[in-house]
Amino acid sequence: MYLAVPVALPACEILIRPFRSSINTVKILKVTVYPGNVLSLYMSRPTKFKYESGQYMFLNCPTISTFEWHPFSITSSPQDDYLSIHIKVLGDWTNALKEVLYEVCMPPPVCHVNIDMVDQPSFPKIMVDGPYDSPAQDYKKYKVVLLVGLGIGVAPMISIIKDIIKYTEAQLNGTVTRKAYFYWLTKEQGSYNWFENIMNEVAERDTNGVIEVNNYCTSVYEEGDVRSAFIQMLQSLNYSKNGVDIVSETRIMTHFAKPNWQNVYKQIAMDHSGSHVGVFYCGEVALADELRQLALEFTHKTATRFSFHKENFYPQC
């Protein structure tokens, strides 16, 4: 009796979902495998699929399971004519999806090689349900935003970055954002390949300096430490000569260790005194608590107001 209601609610959701009007069957256009066991899917975009940056959708592959739906942040921009997601392969379902895709494109694709699947008839059926609202989509309410992604938690922020670039470049009124501070923290150097094209796009197209990109490789000792001094020397020499960072292999310089979040908030508060700053985070809980506490602290002790928003994170599907 006590278990009836808790069991009935998710059961009803599973049974009703196939009949929802938001369900669409899509065609996979491209599969990319990246370092760090990350899989990206580029899919056809249904005509009536309207979404905003920061939103997410549910994905289903009947070949794996008829009733299993898993949420993933949309990494494409609302102005793109396709849908894209980036999946960290960790749990049973994502591993099964990777295996299904590998079977189609045998031999298995190597890291960072695009496999064009437009004419591949044996590709498994993929269905999407969405889009669904998320805290990140509210970034347009703020003139100044602080975007923080931890590992694959950077996914919703990428769509926002692309959105800001396109609106700023076209000088449209779709966003009021005037300054975006973007922080991406990752342990693995290869992770930067996931969104290498976006990093270079920011460096090339953001001529007005609206977006400040700060990539941090947390597995390397902090800047100034003698153990990372040699890497920094090579990094600086190569960047001054070729304009490319040796760590990320992009036009964005990589920082080491972790940011000093106290200083980050302090600088933003000084540069945008009297402003209302939106802080958006996607990643593990530990860092969320620190960022939330600092938002409250600097709201109380400075003339700048910080509003913290956390994205739900599903790392084990």
Side-chain angles (χ1 to χ4, degrees):
M1 179 177 66
Y2 295 106
L3 294 176
V5 174
V7 171
L9 291 176
C12 289
E13 171 67 16
I14 292 173
L15 294 173
I16 293 173
R17 188 182 291 273
F19 303 99
R20 295 171 59 96
S21 60
S22 58
I23 298 291
N24 290 282
T25 299
V26 297
K27 182 178 181 180
I28 295 182
L29 305 176
K30 186 168 63 176
V31 178
T32 308
V33 179
Y34 291 106
N37 214 13
V38 166
L39 186 71
S40 72
L41 298 183
Y42 290 78
M43 299 161 283
S44 60
R45 178 176 175 177
T47 305
K48 296 183 179 181
F49 195 97
K50 308 295 183 183
Y51 67 98
E52 296 181 30
S53 291
Q55 291 186 324
Y56 68 97
M57 63 185 181
F58 282 85
L59 196 73
N60 170 265
C61 180
T63 304
I64 302 173
S65 174
T66 303
F67 298 109
E68 274 195 75
W69 292 80
H70 294 278
F72 297 99
S73 295
I74 303 172
T75 54
S76 52
S77 166
Q79 291 79 38
D80 292 329
D81 58 0
Y82 60 87
L83 292 174
S84 69
I85 58 174
H86 286 65
I87 301 170
K88 180 73 171 179
V89 181
L90 289 173
D92 294 338
W93 190 87
T94 50
N95 270 290
L97 178 64
K98 183 181 73 172
E99 293 303 319
V100 167
L101 298 177
Y102 270 20
E103 289 177 6
V104 175
C105 48
M106 290 294 290
V110 297
C111 292
H112 201 40
V113 173
N114 295 338
I115 308 299
D116 195 345
M117 292 297 172
V118 175
D119 300 320
Q120 178 52 261
S122 60
F123 225 46
K125 180 180 179 181
I126 296 292
M127 301 172 68
V128 298
D129 178 16
Y132 286 92
D133 292 344
S134 72
Q137 74 186 64
D138 290 335
Y139 86 92
K140 289 183 179 180
K141 295 180 180 179
Y142 304 92
K143 291 184 178 180
V144 182
V145 293
L146 171 59
L147 309 172
V148 183
L150 184 60
I152 196 61
V154 75
M157 311 306 169
I158 291 298
S159 180
I160 293 174
I161 290 298
K162 293 175 69 175
D163 208 23
I164 294 175
I165 291 175
K166 291 184 177 181
Y167 273 114
T168 302
E169 190 175 51
Q171 295 183 339
L172 298 176
N173 296 320
T175 177
V176 298
T177 305
R178 295 293 177 265
K179 187 67 177 182
Y181 298 91
F182 173 52
Y183 284 79
W184 182 13
L185 285 66
T186 180
K187 293 180 179 179
E188 302 170 356
Q189 178 183 350
S191 301
Y192 297 114
N193 294 141
W194 307 347
F195 302 107
E196 177 182 344
N197 59 327
I198 304 302
M199 298 298 106
N200 288 328
E201 187 175 357
V202 172
E204 293 170 6
R205 296 173 57 183
D206 184 28
T207 55
N208 295 321
V210 175
I211 303 170
E212 179 184 302
V213 179
N214 298 275
N215 292 335
Y216 278 80
C217 187
T218 59
S219 60
V220 182
Y221 294 108
E222 64 182 346
E223 295 173 2
D225 192 295
V226 293
R227 291 167 290 188
S228 59
F230 183 66
I231 298 176
Q232 286 181 267
M233 182 180 68
L234 292 177
Q235 181 188 40
S236 299
L237 289 172
N238 190 74
Y239 193 84
S240 61
K241 181 179 180 180
N242 304 310
V244 177
D245 179 55
I246 61 171
V247 179
S248 65
E249 297 181 346
T250 70
R251 295 181 61 184
I252 303 295
M253 284 282 283
T254 303
H255 304 284
F256 302 139
K258 299 177 181 179
N260 184 321
W261 294 113
Q262 185 87 17
N263 289 342
V264 170
Y265 273 84
K266 181 179 179 180
Q267 191 62 51
I268 293 176
M270 291 173 58
D271 292 343
H272 304 280
S273 181
S275 299
H276 188 183
V277 180
V279 182
F280 297 89
Y281 170 72
C282 184
E284 296 175 358
V285 177
L287 182 54
D289 293 339
E290 180 181 356
L291 294 176
R292 181 186 291 108
Q293 185 58 42
L294 285 171
L296 291 172
E297 178 184 333
F298 277 86
T299 295
H300 291 148
K301 73 179 187 181
T302 70
T304 306
R305 180 184 173 192
F306 292 86
S307 292
F308 179 79
H309 307 267
K310 179 185 179 298
E311 184 81 13
N312 290 325
F313 193 51
Y314 304 92
Q316 298 297 333
C317 65

